[in-house]
Structure formats: C-alpha cells, structure tokens
Amino acid sequence: MPGAIYAEGLVKNFGDVRALDGVDLDVPEGTVLGLLGPNGAGKTTSVRVLTTLLQADSGYAEVAGIDVAKHPNEVRRSIGLSGQFAAVDEYLTGRENLQMVGQLYQMPKAAAKQRAGELLEQFNLADAADRPAKTYSGGMRRRLDLAAALIVKPPVMFMDEPTTGLDPRNRQALWEVIQDLVKGGTTLLLTTQYLEEADHLAHDICVIDHGRVIARGTADQLKAQTGGERVEVVVHQRDQIESARDVLAVLGKGEVAVDDHTRKLTVPVLGGAKLLADVIRDLDERGVEIDDIGLRRPTLDDVFISLTGHEAEVSEPEDEAAAAAAAGKKETAK
C-alpha cells in the first residue's frame, strides 16, 4: 500500500532543463523523509509537484491517498507547506498574518486567534506579535512563515529547507515542533542541506541529483557508503607527516589524505575509539608529536561528494517563467 506521500516516475522539464527525471518516493504515514541533494538537484521541484504548485510532465503522485494531478484542491486541504522563502504579508502584524492564514483554512475566528497566540509563543515571536512583519528581521520572518504552515495540524507537511537562516536556538525549537507533529501522526517530507538536521529528524533519507534519486537509506547507511568514520591527525612538525602517513596507512581502511599546509592527515577507519587509541600509541612509538587528533563521522559534503562526485552547484529554476527566461538568454548569447 502506498505511503502518505507517494510518487512514481515523476518527470518535469523546464525548456531544455530536465529538473525531474523519473523520481520515485514512498513515505509511510507518521514518518519523516529527508530529501537531500546539491542545489539544482530537483528537491524544490519535487516539493512543488507534490504540493500541486507545478504539474509534472509525466509520472504519478498522490498525497494522503489523493491523486495530485486529478484532485489538487483536495490535496491542498490535506497539507501544510513551508517553502524556501518566507511568504508573509509585510503590512500585517505577525498576529494578523497567522489569523489570516487560519481563516483561509476556514477556522472559526476565535480558534484562529487562539492558535495564532500559541504559535507566536512557540516560535519566540510573542514580543513582536503586534508589529508589522516588515519590521521583522529575516530570521523572524522565516519563523513566522513556519508558524503559518502549522496554523492547522495537517496530516501531511512539506518543509523546503525550513531552518535556513535560523540561529541554533530557533533551529532546535523548530526540531522540537517537528518531532511533536510526527509523534501526533503527521507525515513530513523535509528538504535540507544540513546532514545534522536529517540525521536528527528523518527516519529515512533520499539523495537526489540531476533529477534522479541516487541513494536511499538511513543517515547511518548513507554515511557508511562514504567510508564510515575517519581519523584526523594534525602533526606538530611538517617533517613528521610521512611517519604519520605510514601509521595511518597500516591502521586505516583506505587512502590517507594529506593537507601539507595544515599538517592534517585523514583516513577512513573501522573500529571507533579502540582504533583511535591504537593510532595514538603507534604515533607515540614512532616519536610523532601531534597537535590534535580525533574521530569523526562523514559530513554532508562527504556524502554529496561520494554519491554525486561534486559539491553544490547552481540553483534550481524557480518556475517555468524563470527557466524560459534563462533559455531565452542562452539563445540570445548564441
């Protein structure tokens, strides 16, 4: 049985650009799927198709058991969406923005007012609740936009890079909100470029690149594909790099990367803390003095580079008009 969010073979073209090239997704009810990938990979386009903001050229998708292409209005009544950019009315206060969204969802006026107050407290906006949104900082607008997406508690939520621009405290607060939603049965598709965020929130992760899903699994499974843990050593003297390389080559499970400028050596390993102790012992026996040593897991960049062969690239087209404009400029240049 398909999950609360299901897609099969989604294709979307913007002129000569194929933003989606056969995307398949299946998100079980009450779980979080993290959709990761470089800029321009197709994450936002996938969200727009699933939330009825774009129509796929081919393929099939349903959300909350509703066919996205055939019944878009029913889908919209069943979802919440927070896009990449804050969509708030700058001339309304924070409170008025939330009450307006509530009433657009056909909430009774009193209920919309009460829910707005709850969310303003939850997102640390209560002190600025009655100020026009145009006086808010970028981070405050982002939090207000996220609060608006949660004015009702929809069965399915889409969040497109929701914590971009938030400070650590507010990012943590949003994580707690998301976890509470999921505990209550909400299904969430989350796009993010923070592996820590996906690691913390997502039950499963899909990595997308050039419009295709190229890897699936838990955060630990994806990290394992990049070589698991790594030992990093910074030697005190540059002339000791070769001795340290010899030690790491024996104890490591792959090629030793050396940065001569920083005197740092890195190697994939298996064995965790026990192996780290062996590295320290062998370096000491060889008389290699170290400034720093540590065991770390792969970063988001490690996962991207391992799976895609490159780091983040250009942004995705915002819509058909933007893509057409880009195509026109390209034609003119010819």
Side-chain angles (χ1 to χ4, degrees):
M1 183 177 177
I5 302 171
Y6 179 79
E8 184 176 335
L10 291 181
V11 173
K12 181 63 184 176
N13 297 304
F14 296 101
D16 294 335
V17 178
R18 176 156 287 205
L20 299 181
D21 191 14
V23 169
D24 299 329
L25 299 170
D26 193 358
V27 189
E29 185 176 344
T31 66
V32 179
L33 176 72
L35 195 59
L36 305 184
N39 290 334
K43 304 185 302 294
T44 295
T45 303
S46 298
V47 169
R48 287 176 174 169
V49 168
L50 291 167
T51 57
T52 77
L53 297 177
L54 285 176
Q55 187 169 356
D57 296 327
S58 62
Y60 175 78
E62 64 179 49
V63 174
I66 305 165
D67 187 311
V68 169
K70 291 182 178 178
H71 306 290
N73 289 333
E74 291 183 33
V75 170
R76 291 168 194 155
R77 285 193 286 267
S78 302
I79 65 173
L81 168 64
S82 176
Q84 281 190 14
F85 305 102
V88 299
D89 188 317
E90 294 188 344
Y91 294 96
L92 297 180
T93 67
R95 191 185 309 278
E96 288 168 344
N97 265 282
L98 296 183
Q99 290 177 349
M100 176 186 69
V101 172
Q103 291 181 271
L104 288 173
Y105 272 104
Q106 299 183 341
M107 293 176 67
K109 188 173 181 179
K113 183 176 181 180
Q114 179 180 349
R115 181 62 176 154
E118 293 171 358
L119 289 166
L120 289 164
E121 290 286 350
Q122 195 168 28
F123 282 88
N124 297 315
L125 291 170
D127 290 343
D130 298 311
R131 280 170 37 197
K134 65 181 180 180
T135 67
Y136 286 15
S137 67
M140 291 170 71
R141 292 187 193 193
R142 188 68 179 136
R143 278 145 51 200
L144 182 62
D145 179 67
L146 292 166
L150 299 173
I151 197 76
V152 295
K153 295 182 179 179
V156 180
M157 278 288 302
F158 293 87
M159 292 188 174
D160 194 7
E161 300 190 16
T163 61
T164 299
L166 296 185
D167 60 43
R169 184 185 68 169
N170 285 303
R171 180 175 295 145
Q172 182 65 43
L174 177 61
W175 288 357
E176 291 172 1
V177 170
I178 291 172
Q179 288 172 326
D180 288 342
L181 283 171
V182 175
K183 286 177 184 176
T186 298
T187 305
L188 173 65
L189 189 149
L190 168 79
T191 78
T192 181
Q193 293 197 33
Y194 298 118
L195 185 59
E196 178 192 8
E197 186 161 272
D199 205 355
H200 194 81
L201 297 172
H203 297 88
D204 287 295
I205 292 171
C206 281
V207 180
I208 188 170
D209 191 35
H210 296 300
R212 291 178 175 270
V213 174
I214 61 171
R216 303 170 191 265
T218 64
D220 286 341
Q221 289 169 341
L222 293 178
K223 291 173 189 176
Q225 292 184 37
T226 67
E229 296 173 316
R230 287 160 166 70
V231 165
E232 287 186 350
V233 177
V234 178
V235 299
H236 185 65
Q237 298 290 342
R238 189 165 280 105
D239 60 10
Q240 295 181 321
I241 287 177
E242 287 306 315
S243 294
R245 187 206 297 265
D246 292 341
V247 170
L248 294 179
V250 172
L251 296 176
K253 295 297 180 182
E255 183 178 351
V256 181
V258 179
D259 186 330
D260 289 313
H261 179 69
T262 60
R263 309 183 309 281
K264 183 170 72 174
L265 300 91
T266 307
V267 66
V269 297
L270 296 173
K274 181 180 183 303
L275 185 118
L276 187 62
D278 293 339
V279 171
I280 294 171
R281 184 196 63 230
D282 289 5
L283 289 172
D284 185 58
E285 289 177 356
R286 286 187 175 235
V288 177
E289 187 177 353
I290 59 176
D291 288 344
D292 192 20
I293 187 168
L295 186 70
R296 73 169 179 85
R297 306 183 78 186
T299 64
L300 179 60
D301 283 342
D302 296 327
V303 174
F304 278 1
I305 292 169
S306 174
L307 294 173
T308 70
H310 60 80
E311 296 182 357
E313 295 179 345
V314 297
S315 297
E316 297 171 44
E318 287 298 319
D319 51 30
E320 289 100 328
K329 289 178 182 178
K330 183 178 178 182
E331 196 65 34
T332 302
K334 290 181 180 179

